[in-house]
Amino acid sequence: MKFFEEFKKFIYRGNVLDMAVGVVMGTAFTKIVNSLVENIITPVIGVITGKVNVSTLEIKIQDTLTIPYGMFLQSVIDFLLIAISVFIMIKFMNAAREKFAKKETKAVETKTPEPSKEELLLTEIRDLLKEQNK
């Protein structure tokens, strides 16, 4: 039973739950980014470049030896497109977060209330006592 008790403590630790949520969110975010690249960005680039399919490029060294370097190039291009897409999305999200934070800060900021008559009187008394003790 000791094994299961330790396992239970491990599972209920905050770090493990946070990590699990991060993995699930990362997987969902990956699907969004892949869809953005495959369904929106790549077709636009295809139209611009005349529908060149880089992945079919290859070098034949001998009849039996072919190096499909186009697949590697396509992977590099996909990586760059995904990296740029993620960068732009994060930049947009940070800008939106800053905008909302500024609105919240403005809403929280209030004028410092004017001191009451009692506070003003006590301040005057304090200042007079300081002057007398000099």
Side-chain angles (χ1 to χ4, degrees):
M1 287 305 269
K2 186 176 179 184
F3 175 80
F4 291 112
E5 289 173 15
E6 289 179 22
F7 183 70
K8 185 178 175 182
K9 284 182 185 178
F10 174 75
I11 291 298
Y12 287 120
R13 239 191 262 166
N15 299 354
V16 174
L17 294 175
D18 291 343
M19 187 174 65
V21 168
V23 168
V24 170
M25 293 300 293
T27 302
F29 188 70
T30 300
K31 288 181 180 181
I32 291 170
V33 171
N34 285 339
S35 176
L36 173 70
V37 170
E38 290 173 8
N39 301 324
I40 297 172
I41 296 174
T42 302
V44 170
I45 291 175
V47 169
I48 293 171
T49 61
K51 296 189 178 189
V52 173
N53 189 357
V54 177
S55 63
T56 59
L57 298 175
E58 59 187 19
I59 295 175
K60 287 189 178 185
I61 297 178
Q62 296 176 348
D63 290 337
T64 58
L65 181 59
T66 303
I67 299 175
Y69 71 93
M71 295 295 283
F72 174 74
L73 287 177
Q74 186 64 48
S75 296
V76 170
I77 291 169
D78 289 346
F79 170 78
L80 292 174
L81 291 174
I82 289 170
I84 290 170
S85 300
V86 169
F87 175 75
I88 291 170
M89 289 174 73
I90 289 174
K91 193 166 179 70
F92 174 74
M93 291 173 66
N94 287 340
R97 185 182 307 140
E98 286 178 16
K99 186 176 181 180
F100 289 126
K102 286 180 184 177
K103 284 183 180 179
E104 288 177 5
T105 306
K106 286 181 182 178
V108 170
E109 285 181 3
T110 57
K111 270 190 166 178
T112 306
E114 294 290 326
S116 68
K117 290 181 181 181
E118 291 173 344
E119 290 175 323
L120 290 173
L121 183 61
L122 288 171
T123 304
E124 286 180 31
I125 293 171
R126 181 196 66 202
D127 294 341
L128 288 171
L129 288 172
K130 280 184 182 178
E131 286 180 25
Q132 286 179 355
N133 290 332
K134 286 185 180 182

